[in-house]
């Protein structure tokens, strides 16, 4: 063995050791969730300056250890801040192998394995949705998948757009719920529709779009001479975790001849669970769907499937047929490049494929059931304690709640008014400062609200109780 090979082997062995130690610490809930430093302090700790003379491979393990030390431990059992959490060792290896094989997903020629793996995964996901003749492509995240679906809908409604762009008389308008993800409004502005061209449809007390409001909004926009073309239902809203009533919305879109998209970035994974898939009943009637395995399914970011009910929709919308890449040979039927907004594209499919081989459908089903169970358990534990208030009926894996200071309980006035916005922020900041928990907040119904996310199935009762106690203690 050459000395260079020995050095590389030692490097990779060291990296593997560091990885398994990190996973073990996070799984056991040891160590802080985050070591909070100011940007200036962190910059100094990282020693960001780039050297004129290289330091050699010897520095890599030190850099890796430092990176992990100051990173947020998103695999920690007490990280509940985002819609993802935990860590899957098989998927992490898939990510390493993607880097090692270092290719780009535009052609079968350049990425034969990645292409076939991606196609197999898209078929599998489409089967769960009920898109029996579907297609799709992976994208860098839910926002880009949502954008691609808006563009595909725009292409269908205004077929001249690819050559001419929008005509003044087109006046497109799209509809999303007022609790949908902001990426949909942004997709509208990228698509040349402007934020004024996106109508926010009212939601019910759970946070689900009201189909009758959708119908009313469509009629009102038509009366103004605008052209409705796209409706997005959300399966798992970002803050409340609510699931819009897809079948009722599909009744509206079908009768109005509109494209129905489902932003299932967060909640499409509920389809993997026989107990939970009813939340997306009617999803097979949609035209497109966004599904992020990097959320509930626990593969590393990013993994976002853009799914289409009809083959050819993406290429019709985005295809540019660059002949330096697509040489018109028999393999071209497999080329994914013309379905994507990107040219160079990472092999994101590999990590999900590794994970699915390890876990199977049943393993993912257990994971999803565990997350829904964890959210229900957290709510139960919370409701046993005075001072905690559930703010939204919990449908998915988020629990939105406020904590009312003991001196204010029972006082005059509505609890919302009594609740101090600043108190939620201060409690949250204190927990983050201690490194004990990272739990996010958002504004719901006009006041700051904690958002607990069940994203890591390793989070147990002890962690849930400790979070409630930590909030009480910080009060
Ligand atoms: N793309 C939505 C993610 C939001 C969150 O993790 O909280």
């Amino acid at each position: 063995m050459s000395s260079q090979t020995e050095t590389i082997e030692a490097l990779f062995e060291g990296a593997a050791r560091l990885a398994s130690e990190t996973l073990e610490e996070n799984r056991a809930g040891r160590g802080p969730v985050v070591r909070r430093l100011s940007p200036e302090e962190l910059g100094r700790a990282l020693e960001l300056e780039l050297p004129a003379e290289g330091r050699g491979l010897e520095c890599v393990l030190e850099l890796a250890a430092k990176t992990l030390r100051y990173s947020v431990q998103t695999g920690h059992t007490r990280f509940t801040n985002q819609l993802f959490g935990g860590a899957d060792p098989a998927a992490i290896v898939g990510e390493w192998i993607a880097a090692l094989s270092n290719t780009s997903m535009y052609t079968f020629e350049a990425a034969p394995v990645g292409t076939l793996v991606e196609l197999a995964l898209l078929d599998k996901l489409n089967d769960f949705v009920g898109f029996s003749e579907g297609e799709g492509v992976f994208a860098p995240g839910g926002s880009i998948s949502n954008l691609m679906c808006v563009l595909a809908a725009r292409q269908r409604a205004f077929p001249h757009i690819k050559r001419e762009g929008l005509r003044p008389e087109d006046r497109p308008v799209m509809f999303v719920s007022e609790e949908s993800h902001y990426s949909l409004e942004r997709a509208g502005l990228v698509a040349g529709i402007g934020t004024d061209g996106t109508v926010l449809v009212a939601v019910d007390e759970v946070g689900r779009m009201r189909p009758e409001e959708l119908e009313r909004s469509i009629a009102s926009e038509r009366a103004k001479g605008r052209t409705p073309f796209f409706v997005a239902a959300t399966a798992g809203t970002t803050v409340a975790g609510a699931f819009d009533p897809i079948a009722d919305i599909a009744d509206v879109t079908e009768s109005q001849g509109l494209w129905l998209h489902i932003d299932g970035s967060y909640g499409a994974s509920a389809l993997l669970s026989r107990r939970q898939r009813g939340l997306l009943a009617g999803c097979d009637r949609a035209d497109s769907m966004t599904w992020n395995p990097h959320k509930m399914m626990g593969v590393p970011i990013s993994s976002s499937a853009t799914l289409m009910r009809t083959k050819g929709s993406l290429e019709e919308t985005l295809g540019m047929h660059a002949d330096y890449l697509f040489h018109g040979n028999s393999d071209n039927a497999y080329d994914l490049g013309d379905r994507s907004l990107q040219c160079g594209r990472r092999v994101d499919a590999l990590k999900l494929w590794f994970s699915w081989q390890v876990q199977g459908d049943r393993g993912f089903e257990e994971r999803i059931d565990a997350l829904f169970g964890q959210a229900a358990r957290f709510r139960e534990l919370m409701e046993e304690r005075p001072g905690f208030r559930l703010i939204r009926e919990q449908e998915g894996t988020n629990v939105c709640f406020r904590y009312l200071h003991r001196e204010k309980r029972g006082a005059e006035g509505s609890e919302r008014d009594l609740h101090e916005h600043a108190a939620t922020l201060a409690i949250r900041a204190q927990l983050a400062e201690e490194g004990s928990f990272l739990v996010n907040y958002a504004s719901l119904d006009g006041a700051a609200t904690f958002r607990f996310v069940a994203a890591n199935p390793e989070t147990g009762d002890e962690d849930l109780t400790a979070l409630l106690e930590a909030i009480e203690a910080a009060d």
Side-chain angles (χ1 to χ4, degrees):
M1 203 188 292
S2 73
S3 72
Q4 194 189 10
T5 307
E6 279 174 15
T7 308
I8 293 173
E9 204 169 284
L11 173 66
F12 286 172
E13 279 170 7
R17 228 180 355 263
L18 191 60
S20 56
E21 283 165 11
T22 302
L23 293 186
E24 171 53 25
E25 286 211 343
N26 282 339
R27 231 188 345 257
R30 276 200 301 273
V33 177
V34 58
R35 292 180 169 84
R36 272 283 245 253
L37 296 179
S38 70
E40 296 73 26
E41 289 166 334
L42 180 58
R44 279 193 295 278
L46 292 175
E47 299 170 285
L48 292 167
E49 301 76 23
L50 294 164
E53 299 294 334
R55 295 166 61 193
L57 278 179
E58 292 70 28
C59 72
V60 174
L61 288 179
E62 181 200 320
L63 295 175
K66 200 185 277 190
T67 302
L68 288 170
R69 177 174 174 77
Y70 293 112
S71 292
V72 175
Q73 303 301 315
T74 64
H76 197 290
T77 54
R78 297 186 176 187
F79 172 82
T80 81
N81 203 61
Q82 312 299 153
L83 303 181
F84 59 86
D88 174 350
I92 291 169
V93 173
E95 189 77 321
W96 283 356
I97 298 300
L100 187 63
S101 61
N102 188 35
T103 191
S104 181
M105 290 291 293
Y106 24 60
T107 57
F108 176 80
E109 181 177 79
V113 178
T115 299
L116 293 189
V117 166
E118 179 158 325
L119 287 167
L121 286 167
L122 291 166
D123 282 350
K124 184 81 175 175
L125 296 173
N126 273 328
D127 273 353
F128 275 101
V129 179
F131 290 170
S132 54
E133 296 296 321
E135 65 159 15
V137 74
F138 278 72
S143 298
I144 303 295
S145 291
N146 283 340
L147 169 61
M148 289 163 74
C149 296
V150 170
L151 296 177
R154 193 187 65 160
Q155 179 63 37
R156 188 178 80 178
F158 309 100
H160 52 269
I161 200 142
K162 203 167 175 184
R163 230 168 46 80
E164 296 174 38
L166 282 171
R167 295 174 183 160
E169 67 273 22
D170 288 338
R171 306 193 62 200
V173 59
M174 56 189 251
F175 303 82
V176 304
S177 96
E178 58 189 3
E179 294 201 0
S180 63
H181 191 254
Y182 72 90
S183 62
L184 285 158
E185 267 188 278
R186 186 162 61 191
L189 73 91
V190 175
I193 290 154
T195 49
D196 283 354
T198 301
V199 174
L200 303 182
V201 180
V203 297
D204 66 13
E205 63 292 346
V206 179
R208 301 173 293 212
M209 183 192 277
R210 292 179 186 275
E212 69 285 1
E213 278 299 308
L214 171 65
E215 206 160 15
R216 195 195 54 71
S217 303
I218 292 169
S220 143
E221 294 303 315
R222 284 201 202 280
K224 291 181 205 158
R226 293 167 120 182
T227 312
F229 75 102
F230 174 93
V231 174
T234 303
T237 57
T238 307
V239 177
F243 286 73
D244 288 348
I246 294 170
D248 295 342
I249 293 172
D251 288 343
V252 177
T253 55
E254 284 167 9
S255 69
Q256 298 277 339
L258 305 183
W259 183 287
L260 173 58
H261 171 65
I262 299 170
D263 179 6
S265 294
Y266 185 22
S269 298
L271 289 169
L272 299 164
S273 156
R274 281 165 288 189
R275 257 186 250 165
Q276 305 299 342
R277 66 174 57 137
L279 288 167
L280 285 99
C283 65
D284 55 315
R285 294 163 66 187
D287 297 285
S288 58
M289 184 187 277
T290 296
W291 181 339
N292 289 175
H294 71 235
K295 294 195 167 89
M296 283 188 199
M297 291 170 78
V299 302
I301 288 173
S302 49
S303 176
S304 177
T306 315
L307 303 174
M308 293 277 149
R309 181 165 51 170
T310 309
K311 281 195 196 331
S313 309
L314 286 167
E315 186 172 339
E316 188 188 344
T317 308
L318 302 168
M320 299 303 288
H321 318 298
D323 71 353
Y324 83 96
L325 277 175
F326 312 113
H327 296 312
N329 56 35
S330 59
D331 292 346
N332 279 162
Y334 291 89
D335 294 347
L336 297 176
D338 262 344
R339 294 186 191 182
S340 173
L341 268 177
Q342 300 165 263
C343 177
R345 189 161 67 86
R346 287 165 45 86
V347 188
D348 279 336
L350 217 49
K351 56 196 165 192
L352 177 57
W353 188 52
F354 280 27
S355 188
W356 214 309
Q357 295 288 349
V358 171
Q359 303 194 52
D361 300 359
R362 290 290 81 83
F364 277 129
E365 179 171 37
E366 278 168 25
R367 179 186 172 94
I368 303 304
D369 285 343
L371 296 179
F372 275 83
Q374 185 186 117
R377 179 72 182 137
F378 180 70
R379 173 192 171 159
E380 198 176 276
L381 291 170
M382 190 188 84
E383 287 180 335
E384 285 168 5
R385 292 169 176 267
F388 289 94
R389 300 286 182 271
L390 187 72
I391 298 304
R392 283 293 169 85
E393 193 49 49
Q394 170 232 333
E395 246 199 328
T397 42
N398 290 2
V399 183
C400 292
F401 66 96
R402 296 198 188 112
Y403 181 68
L404 197 65
H405 194 284
R406 59 178 70 86
E407 285 167 13
K408 294 201 168 162
R409 286 175 221 156
E412 292 288 309
S414 79
E415 290 208 339
R416 190 179 103 176
D417 294 340
L418 291 168
H419 175 84
E420 287 171 53
H421 180 83
T424 301
L425 273 55
I427 293 172
R428 174 180 186 268
Q430 185 177 329
L431 302 186
E433 203 59 44
E434 292 162 0
S436 55
F437 286 92
L438 208 54
V439 54
N440 217 339
Y441 78 96
S443 176
L444 263 188
D445 308 330
T449 307
F450 284 108
R451 180 193 68 169
F452 168 84
V453 180
N456 182 352
E458 312 262 4
T459 299
D461 264 23
E462 197 192 323
D463 300 301
L464 304 179
T465 303
L467 173 57
L468 296 168
E469 286 172 355
I471 291 172
E472 288 168 338
D475 177 22

